[in-house]
Amino acid sequence: MNRKVWQASGHEAGFSDPLADCKKCKNRFRPDKLENPKVCPMCGGELTEPRQFNTMMKTFVGPVEGEAGLTYLRPETAQGIFINFKNIIDSFHPKLPFGLAQIGKAFRNEITPGNFIFRTREFEQMEIEYFINGSEWEKWFKYWVNEVKNWLKIIGLDEEKIYFHDIAGSERAHYSKKTIDIEYKFPFGQDELYGLAYRTDFDLKTHSEKSGVDLSYFDSETREKFIPHVIEPSMGVERTLLAILCEAYQEEKERVYLKLPFALAPYKTAVFPLLANKPQLVEKAKEVYKSVKGCFACAWDERGNIGKRYYSQDEIGTPYCITIDFQTLEDETVTIRNRDTMEQERIKINAIISYLAKNLS
Ligand code: ATP
């Protein structure tokens, strides 16, 4: 059975479905999805009467706590985009289809936070509202499925661990006509990484109705005036990071390393003098470091022995390490070590930049 159906997950902010707690193991369930709504399906314990939870974070604006200042922290970034829609239309006059992307904090009073940074009560969302003519929604939905697939490739996730889960009508948010959850096989189980939803014209229409401001779009070619519909890819920063780390983490006999796609590695390279107590080596290494740093994110390390320095760069996923040794002082060559194979090559100092440019691309 799909975990989400019977065990409580956040599933969209707002009032949750009624949930019952197990008095013994403290897990929380949707009783309407259980064979026996009085008995815990995990430990057989007794379940409480169902209760509703509000997953929106409540607060009060202003110095006096009262109904007039009652407000809620946003549970998704999407609405900011709909609020900006008119500004964009009026100042840039974009033609459909076009997308607006925003990144920012979202807050949900999650019932069961956990699994490291997978589910937290404060998190960062990256959302795109892609405005379209409603008659073309299927075409643009397919387009976004492909774009998401391309993105997953870029961040290096294994295709075999990704699932596109078509959400049934009864499980979808009320405003959505089609939703696909993009799930990833995390070490703790398969769960939602991103969402992709066709939200119809629900949001703009509702903002327009409640504010009295016309949010329709005028198509100058067809002379049609209508409220655009949206396709929304919705992505969590923390879940992206967690999936990338899970995918990249590698353990070998004598080392642990992060096999990050090169584009995601925080440092592309690191420069070391073989020995920190030989001023000539340090001086030469500093020279190399300064020249490489101008082109690539580059770390400097002169602590401990060279082996430890390699391993500490491996742990943060640095693809190439450059070492300045005694031979460098004689012939202007350095060793360059590959993170994944641990193989070392000797190259000329003046070839370092082109070597990195070629191998990191
Ligand atoms: P779930 O079913 O896991 O609670 P959801 O369906 O409620 O997720 P959406 O409302 O579709 O999530 O939110 C879009 C994206 O925001 C999710 O795919 C996820 O990447 C991220 N996200 C949602 N809730 C959280 C959270 N509590 N902590 C971290 N990221 C979250």
Side-chain angles (χ1 to χ4, degrees), residues 3-4 9-13 75-76 108 110 117-127 175 181-182 191-196 232 234-240:
R3 184 191 69 82
K4 277 188 182 159
S9 76
H11 241 307
E12 300 296 337
E76 56 172 20
R108 295 183 190 180
E110 293 284 4
I117 52 171
F118 178 81
R119 187 180 303 287
T120 53
R121 292 193 169 118
E122 175 186 346
F123 55 99
E124 198 96 18
Q125 276 189 325
M126 308 181 277
E127 293 191 304
Y175 49 75
D181 276 0
I182 295 103
D191 216 326
E192 177 173 331
L193 177 63
Y194 303 139
L196 179 62
E232 178 199 71
S234 177
M235 304 155 98
V237 171
E238 289 83 356
R239 289 191 193 178
T240 305

Side-chain angles (χ1 to χ4, degrees), residues 59-95:
T59 189
F60 299 92
V61 175
V64 184
E65 201 171 291
E67 279 303 306
L70 174 64
T71 189
Y72 295 89
L73 300 185
R74 64 177 181 182
E76 56 172 20
T77 52
Q79 297 310 320
I81 298 178
F82 294 117
I83 297 291
N84 291 156
F85 174 79
K86 192 168 160 46
N87 278 348
I88 302 287
I89 288 282
D90 290 348
S91 47
F92 292 96
H93 312 287
K95 295 243 174 296

Side-chain angles (χ1 to χ4, degrees), residues 8 63 82 96 110 123-124 147 150 177 181 205 227 235 244 293 328 334 344 351:
F82 294 117
L96 288 186
E110 293 284 4
F123 55 99
E124 198 96 18
E147 286 297 298
N150 289 340
K177 276 222 178 119
D181 276 0
K205 217 169 163 181
I227 299 230
M235 304 155 98
I244 290 169
K293 205 172 104 173
T328 312
V334 294
Q344 296 187 21

